[in-house]
Amino acid sequence: MLTALEGVVVAAFGVTSLVMLATDEPDGMVQAVTMALTVLALSVLPLAAARGLWLRRRWSRGPSMMVQLIALPSGYQMAQNGGVWVAGGVVIALTGAVVLGCLINPTATEALGIGPRDA
């Protein structure tokens, strides 16, 4: 569920960026459009992983873990900027840590069909 929420937040940021492009005149139009489309494309990974986790697909654990491993340093970096960014960074880093913990939980790995290898 948290992975889906992450994907929705990233997609909302991309859509907001596109709306801002339509209402404002950015300094670099090509750069702003590229950034907005890149953010929208990046939202596909957590959304696809969330769907796979919901359906208990084994493949979905890897992409979800990648998203969380990116969220940890991103949250830390945001928190270093001070001000309102500290709260956002803490939320992002904590969400990443919680989801990683859930993904490596033995109950979750068993539900996804991932178990210890036979020696």
Side-chain angles (χ1 to χ4, degrees), residues 33-102:
V33 169
T34 303
M35 188 273 302
L37 293 177
T38 301
V39 169
L40 281 173
L42 288 174
S43 70
V44 172
L45 183 63
L47 290 171
R51 178 166 162 69
L53 288 171
W54 184 262
L55 298 173
R56 294 185 184 162
R57 301 288 190 252
R58 182 181 190 150
W59 61 265
S60 61
R61 183 174 178 237
S64 184
M65 289 182 85
M66 286 177 17
V67 169
Q68 307 322 312
L69 290 172
I70 292 169
L72 291 172
S74 298
Y76 176 78
Q77 189 62 39
M78 280 178 67
Q80 297 301 310
N81 290 330
V84 70
W85 294 103
V86 172
V90 168
V91 168
I92 290 172
L94 282 177
T95 303
V98 166
V99 174
L100 271 176
C102 290

Side-chain angles (χ1 to χ4, degrees), residues 6-20 35-36 39-40 43 85:
E6 289 170 335
V8 169
V9 168
V10 173
F13 180 70
V15 169
T16 303
S17 298
L18 286 176
V19 169
M20 288 175 57
M35 188 273 302
V39 169
L40 281 173
S43 70
W85 294 103

